[in-house]
Amino acid sequence: MAAAVSRFRGSLLGALLGDCIGAVFEGHTNVTKEFLFDYMKSLDKGERLKRVLTYTDDTAMARSIVQSILENDEFDVDDLADRFTTEYYRDPDRGYGMAVVHVFEKLASGEYKYVFSPAKEQFDGKGSYGNGAAMRVVGIPLAYPSIPDVIEYAKTSGMLTHASSLGYNGAILQALAVHYALQEELTPETFLDQLLDHMKEVETDKKSRSDALELEMDEFPYCKKLKKIKVFLTQEDVTRKDIIKELGNGIEALESVPTAIYSFLRCLKPVPELPSELTNLQRTIAFCILLGGDTDTIATMAAAIAGAYHGEEQIPLNWKLSAEDYKDAEDWGEKLHQLYCKR
Ligand code: 8NA
Ligand code: MG
Ligand code: MG
Ligand code: MG
């Protein structure tokens, strides 16, 4: 049975809200519960409706991927490179990563024959391992039901800006997490086992191994984190400090994609320190924000997964109405669902 349209809209709306709300707290090292809960209450009451919550680079780039797929009816990497660049110059103040803007400048210069070349020049030829490829990838698993397609297009879309395997493998992992969240009746154990199986294969490739080595990491860095998540889920007393230390809350893909996945899984159950009336999806966003650090990006990724799993019914009306361009998320969720079912 094909996944319900509510999951597609829920995933895009979740991603949008995670970014918009998370952005209010981005970079804070110590987010207090009082501040966060007050803020969430103001959303509930509709106090933000007049001052719409704006989205950041995460959503701006996610929108380009979705629009590119919907308008071309297929994944087209040259079109996507154009859209990323055009969108950046249309609205450069969305809080883009410090280095990624050089990729847009080079793409716009017309001096490069291949769209992947500028990304390869980042960081003295090492490529970016930031979380920018993962933060925007949600449209791909919502458009393509086949796992080989999800992996290929997540990687290709990522490589436009992130040439380090640590960067694009993070996008693959995030895309697979959304893919599996769309499937019904999945347990946290099978969810993680499927992700681990795929990431073992992904991280076996030569470049993944040599990049890990060059960065002085153990091989299979994403698999290692997924195994850590498995352990954490069996423990009752995992603290925020433990999560930040072992999984991370930073702008690197390896320090944020596993954290988003863990946050989604942890919030399938009540979290004692969070208000009990929150839906799982609201809880997931709150949980990510309390970790501090790259709150908009971790919350957008976790809520994309949570929205795909729980559906749009978990998003309160006033939260949705507070977010910039929420109607696009609803409309595009529906269109992606049609595309997904057609393939
Ligand atoms: P990116 O490619 O510029 O990477 C982001 C950062 O990661 C870089 O500026 C570096 O500090 C670091 N980095 C990545 N690769 C390397 C490397 N090989 N060697 C050393 N350092 C490296 O951009 P991106 O698209 O990956 O960034 C996404 C993040 O930027 C998201 O969190 C997004 O929300 C945004 N962001 C914005 C703000 C802000 O002030 N508004 C703050 C943090 C992040
Ligand atoms: Mg951002
Ligand atoms: Mg074309
Ligand atoms: Mg961010």
Side-chain angles (χ1 to χ4, degrees), residues 72 74 76 78-79:
N72 294 294
E74 62 181 321
D76 179 337
D78 296 300
D79 176 74

Side-chain angles (χ1 to χ4, degrees), residues 39-299:
Y39 192 84
M40 286 172 23
K41 280 221 178 70
S42 76
L43 283 176
D44 289 336
K45 289 191 203 139
E47 287 168 9
R48 305 272 152 189
L49 296 179
K50 285 197 193 80
R51 286 173 293 130
V52 169
L53 289 178
T54 52
Y55 60 75
T56 76
D57 58 326
D58 305 53
T59 301
M61 298 193 86
R63 289 171 59 91
S64 289
I65 293 182
V66 170
Q67 286 172 298
S68 177
I69 292 173
L70 289 178
E71 282 176 36
N72 294 294
D73 217 32
E74 62 181 321
F75 182 81
D76 179 337
V77 76
D78 296 300
D79 176 74
L80 185 57
D82 274 350
R83 284 176 196 265
F84 282 162
T85 309
T86 306
E87 170 57 27
Y88 169 70
Y89 281 103
R90 189 185 72 80
D91 196 353
D93 299 326
R94 292 272 182 187
Y96 284 89
M98 299 273 274
V100 72
V101 300
H102 301 305
V103 174
F104 304 136
E105 287 160 8
K106 288 177 183 177
L107 285 171
S109 74
E111 284 166 22
Y112 289 78
K113 192 167 161 202
Y114 301 107
V115 285
F116 299 112
S117 302
K120 288 186 183 155
E121 293 179 359
Q122 295 289 87
F123 299 96
D124 299 321
K126 293 190 186 75
S128 173
Y129 50 63
N131 55 22
M135 72 185 184
R136 67 190 185 220
V137 79
V138 58
I140 287 169
L142 297 183
Y144 292 92
S146 125
I147 288 177
D149 285 346
V150 170
I151 293 176
E152 183 189 336
Y153 300 143
K155 180 175 179 176
T156 312
S157 65
M159 285 170 61
L160 283 176
T161 47
H162 292 68
S164 166
S165 61
L166 272 301
Y168 61 71
N169 285 348
I172 292 174
L173 177 56
Q174 169 64 16
L176 288 170
V178 173
H179 169 86
Y180 281 109
L182 286 175
Q183 318 306 316
E184 306 198 6
E185 295 185 31
L186 205 73
T187 66
E189 292 73 30
T190 54
F191 179 80
L192 279 172
D193 284 339
Q194 313 251 37
L195 294 180
L196 248 170
D197 278 350
H198 290 298
M199 292 312 287
K200 263 182 213 151
E201 210 179 311
V202 165
E203 293 193 303
T204 300
D205 108 295
K206 219 170 116 199
K207 179 154 166 55
S208 297
R209 287 170 167 247
S210 64
D211 284 352
L213 219 69
E214 198 174 322
L215 292 165
E216 296 178 7
M217 291 173 180
D218 294 334
E219 287 186 338
F220 298 92
Y222 282 101
C223 290
K224 215 176 138 189
K225 293 243 169 160
L226 289 169
K227 287 178 189 158
K228 189 77 220 181
I229 294 175
K230 268 189 142 177
V231 174
F232 271 179
L233 289 174
T234 65
Q235 298 171 339
E236 290 290 330
D237 52 354
V238 181
T239 64
R240 283 205 285 279
K241 216 170 139 192
D242 297 331
I243 300 166
I244 295 165
K245 177 163 176 273
E246 299 289 341
L247 300 178
N249 66 353
I251 51 168
E252 303 87 350
L254 186 64
E255 298 293 312
S256 50
V257 180
T259 311
I261 290 171
Y262 172 72
S263 301
F264 157 65
L265 292 171
R266 169 87 179 258
C267 292
L268 292 174
K269 290 191 192 148
V271 176
E273 63 179 353
L274 297 179
S276 57
E277 67 272 16
L278 298 181
T279 66
N280 305 82
L281 188 140
Q282 291 176 292
R283 188 187 298 157
T284 304
I285 292 176
F287 188 87
C288 293
I289 291 175
L290 284 178
L291 294 173
D294 196 359
T295 47
D296 65 331
T297 302
I298 296 173

Side-chain angles (χ1 to χ4, degrees), residues 16-29:
L16 173 65
L17 279 162
D19 178 22
C20 288
I21 304 172
V24 176
F25 304 86
E26 188 175 20
H28 292 207
T29 43

